[in-house]
Amino acid sequence: MPQFNITVQPTNNENIVKFVANSFLTQARSFEFGNIEEAKPSPLAQQLFHLPFVKTVYISQNFIAIEKYNIVAWDSVKDEVAASITEYLNSGAQVISEAETSKKVPVTVYAESTPNPSAMKFVANKPLADGTFEFKNIDDAVDAPLAKALFTFPFVKEVFISSNYVSIIKYNSVEWIEISNELRSFIREFIEDGKNIFTDDFLRKRDNEIKISEEKNDSKLAPLPTNNSAKNYDHSETEKEIISILDEYIKPAVASDGGHIAFDSYNPESKTVKVILQGACSGCPSSTITLKNGIQTMMQEMLQGRVTTVEAING
């Protein structure tokens, strides 16, 4: 039996903290519990709901995420929760009951159009990924079984996976009305069958990279699970403000359209910001309008005198 250690990781949501284990807790499954009754399949989640501040418990392959009520601050309780989870795991008790793991996962997937006529967003009722992952071809998808399987369809050009959705960019040889139901059913069955979205080795490697990056206080990890390297350097104050604006005001809207935007660079001399567009935003005809009339205008107003131009780099 592995000796478990837990690392506490904050998230973009101040009410949610991840407790990341050094070994896997479930096999290709993710669970969300909103109360102690829903948590019957997980003795661990039920135990956590005895804490009065716990609102929601998420259990994925190698982490437990907890959403709290506002009655406490995470700084005052996170170490105690981490110690409690560590003690539970090292006792050998079940994370998910064996009876539950034998059941087929009930999954719904719906298709959602995006501003990009070549892209469609397929939204699941289950979390699929912690982060953003873009695949330009089947070679990029060697560590992502779902993306790799999608590339076997001749009309699939690119795949983007984030949160609880998959964005697919198609070739122009077919129309969405001809293929959307087929793709929706395929993604739903793939998830229902409990297949890995990403390989265990890839997830383990990425978690190690995140840990090393945090220890070194690096700026961020590259959002792509390929050989593209992140630009790791200490951000200036202006760059930090740009990243904060992207995270708070722009990313949520972009994600709702099946895409992702990431900071690339800032040139203080030319006052130019470069951003990376991924998923449905990559190659979208309306992205230029959005970039100039929305993002660039916002940057100019919020960072007066420091930003004049925003340029896009397709991921």
Side-chain angles (χ1 to χ4, degrees), residues 42-62:
S42 173
L44 172 56
Q46 284 195 311
Q47 179 173 304
L48 290 170
F49 274 112
H50 286 294
L51 300 172
F53 54 83
V54 171
K55 181 180 180 180
T56 311
V57 176
Y58 309 87
I59 299 179
S60 193
Q61 283 182 289
N62 69 325

Side-chain angles (χ1 to χ4, degrees), residues 27-29 145 186 189-198:
Q27 293 298 317
R29 295 282 302 276
F186 180 84
E189 291 173 6
F190 189 99
I191 300 169
E192 278 186 343
D193 290 341
K195 296 177 181 178
N196 286 348
I197 307 299
F198 302 102

Side-chain angles (χ1 to χ4, degrees), residues 73-101:
W74 271 120
D75 285 344
S76 64
V77 297
K78 64 183 181 182
D79 292 338
E80 180 183 350
V81 174
S84 176
I85 293 173
T86 302
E87 181 181 359
Y88 182 94
L89 295 175
N90 286 325
S91 73
Q94 288 182 327
V95 176
I96 302 294
S97 67
E98 292 182 5
E100 180 64 21
T101 58

Side-chain angles (χ1 to χ4, degrees), residues 4 21-27 61-62 199-201 203-204:
F4 286 94
N22 60 329
S23 187
F24 286 94
L25 308 176
T26 68
Q27 293 298 317
Q61 283 182 289
N62 69 325
T199 64
D200 290 348
D201 286 343
L203 292 174
R204 190 179 295 109

Side-chain angles (χ1 to χ4, degrees), residues 5 14 53 58 66 112 122 134 144 281:
N5 294 310
E14 63 181 13
F53 54 83
Y58 309 87
I66 298 175
E112 187 177 288
F122 297 87
E134 186 174 55
C281 296

Side-chain angles (χ1 to χ4, degrees), residues 162-216:
S162 182
S163 186
N164 66 327
Y165 68 87
V166 180
S167 286
I168 295 175
I169 297 179
K170 68 173 180 65
Y171 287 103
N172 293 329
S173 57
V174 294
E175 299 298 328
W176 281 118
I177 194 171
E178 302 173 89
I179 61 174
S180 60
N181 284 337
E182 182 180 5
L183 288 171
R184 182 175 61 82
S185 297
F186 180 84
I187 293 170
R188 177 180 56 79
E189 291 173 6
F190 189 99
I191 300 169
E192 278 186 343
D193 290 341
K195 296 177 181 178
N196 286 348
I197 307 299
F198 302 102
T199 64
D200 290 348
D201 286 343
F202 170 74
L203 292 174
R204 190 179 295 109
K205 180 180 178 182
R206 185 171 185 270
D207 285 337
N208 288 337
E209 289 175 348
I210 291 173
K211 185 176 180 180
I212 292 170
S213 178
E214 289 176 345
E215 289 173 351
K216 291 182 177 180

Side-chain angles (χ1 to χ4, degrees), residues 213 218-222 229-234:
S213 178
D218 286 340
S219 60
K220 61 182 177 69
L221 288 179
S229 59
K231 295 184 176 180
N232 291 321
Y233 54 85
D234 293 330

